[in-house]
Amino acid sequence: MNTTIIDGKSTAERVRNELRTAIEDLKQAGHTPGLAVVLVGEDPASRVYVNSKVKACEELGIYSQKWALPAQTSQEELLRLIDQLNRDERIHGILVQSPPPPHIDEAAVVLSIDPRKDVDGFHPVNVAKLVLEDSSGFVPCTPLGCMELLKQYGVSTQGKHAVIIGRSMIVGKPMAHLLMSKAANATVTIAHSRTHDLAGLCRTADILVAAVGRPGLVTAPFIKPGAVVLDVGINRVEDASRPRGYRIVGDVEFDSVAPLCSAITPVPGGVGPMTIAMLMANTVKACRQITARG
Ligand code: NAD
């Protein structure tokens, strides 16, 4: 099979280039998009994510605020900051990096964010808008990035059977809604940890999305020849040959699966780079929507 390797890095760059024009237009009209990123605690991975989001803003000319709060920050202090950001006219997007320390009620934090600034798309208002196919809502960045990859690579979803492995609110569920929407018209099946005969089910998929967090879960017997495979998984596996002692792999056993597919995303360099690009896109959208209302 002639397999297309879906290049998330160059697609993300294309998205960023389109955003540069949109940001310039907004600035000409007197509006600079602004994103506030809030981190509570010292989780090293979260710190890396937050820094790369701030860096992405800087590269595009998006105004950003980084709030790095100590791990012992109380729920009340965090909610007070979010209230301040909700009212800050320079800020159009608010993101609280997940996961917060255990004493923080994450659902209450999500609820406290103004849905118009909820660029992560986790607020119930935005979840409802996704289900209702109301395009003014915000969709979580990773599934949005997956849809953008399908679009940029000309993958038709119309009438196709899409199987999504994973039912999280961040990836699996929103991905299912996007694929079953009237814009995409796929027939969608969601698989999860209790699904029987996962391989057999996946073998019926024209489009297979793996969002599990298990390295190499998807192997050749899962694949219908010619399928398109999107690997959302980001997993660290030990690798003594690497300077850091580990490498990053997806949920798909790439070497055995890729030859069977018509197109596949690698890890790294596939879905991953799209996530931050779509966060930037959501921030620009929030700025446009908030400033249009005056
Ligand atoms: P999650 O832990 O919230 O959900 C995992 C899902 O997988 C669950 O719904 C569970 O039912 C299902 N599952 C677990 N074991 C299974 C099995 N053996 N068979 C079938 N289904 C099984 O995870 P998440 O937040 O959705 O993330 C999934 C993966 O995607 C992780 O590796 C995460 O790091 C990665 N991720 C990547 C990005 C990105 O930017 N590329 C963004 C978010 C998450």
Side-chain angles (χ1 to χ4, degrees), residues 142 165-168 192-193 198 211-214 232-235 272 275:
T142 300
I165 321 175
R167 56 181 161 186
S168 72
H192 47 76
S193 51
L198 184 63
V212 183
R214 286 182 185 236
V232 180
I234 299 179
N235 309 293
T275 298

Side-chain angles (χ1 to χ4, degrees), residues 40-41 70-73 99-105:
V40 187
Q72 64 272 21
T73 302
H103 68 278
I104 300 283
D105 176 354

Side-chain angles (χ1 to χ4, degrees), residues 79-294:
L79 293 183
R80 223 173 301 133
L81 171 62
I82 292 170
D83 181 50
Q84 175 191 320
L85 296 171
N86 280 340
R87 288 183 282 107
D88 188 334
E89 291 191 351
R90 295 166 301 173
I91 296 299
H92 307 100
I94 302 170
L95 179 153
V96 180
Q97 185 63 45
S98 187
H103 68 278
I104 300 283
D105 176 354
E106 197 169 5
V109 172
V110 167
L111 268 181
S112 74
I113 296 173
D114 182 338
R116 295 173 307 164
K117 297 190 176 186
D118 168 41
V119 284
D120 258 340
F122 297 159
H123 191 288
V125 165
N126 286 314
V127 176
K129 285 187 172 183
L130 172 60
V131 178
L132 293 165
E133 301 189 30
D134 175 342
S135 62
S136 71
F138 293 98
V139 175
C141 302
T142 300
L144 202 56
C146 288
M147 295 304 286
E148 186 65 25
L149 286 175
L150 293 176
K151 188 174 130 199
Q152 296 280 352
Y153 276 81
V155 176
S156 170
T157 52
Q158 302 291 320
K160 299 283 173 61
H161 183 208
V163 174
I164 300 159
I165 321 175
R167 56 181 161 186
S168 72
M169 292 303 294
I170 302 176
V171 190
K173 281 184 186 140
M175 190 73 208
H177 283 290
L178 290 169
L179 282 166
M180 76 172 79
S181 71
K182 291 199 184 79
N185 284 319
T187 303
V188 176
T189 305
I190 293 207
H192 47 76
S193 51
R194 305 293 172 91
T195 297
H196 290 161
D197 187 19
L198 184 63
L201 176 69
C202 291
R203 220 166 31 243
T204 66
D206 303 304
I207 297 167
L208 180 61
V209 182
V212 183
R214 286 182 185 236
L217 174 80
V218 175
T219 51
F222 284 54
I223 306 300
K224 175 177 173 176
V228 173
V229 175
L230 301 180
D231 188 355
V232 180
I234 299 179
N235 309 293
R236 270 186 189 196
V237 293
E238 279 184 27
D239 185 342
S241 72
R242 302 290 171 104
R244 285 181 299 189
Y246 67 86
R247 68 195 149 90
I248 300 293
V249 299
D251 292 340
V252 178
E253 194 182 77
F254 187 87
D255 290 346
S256 64
V257 166
L260 303 170
C261 305
S262 59
I264 184 169
T265 57
V267 177
V271 174
M274 294 300 290
T275 298
I276 294 185
M278 300 324 284
L279 174 67
M280 299 298 111
N282 275 352
T283 303
V284 170
K285 174 178 168 176
C287 176
R288 206 183 278 130
Q289 292 189 161
I290 289 170
T291 57
R293 284 195 200 98

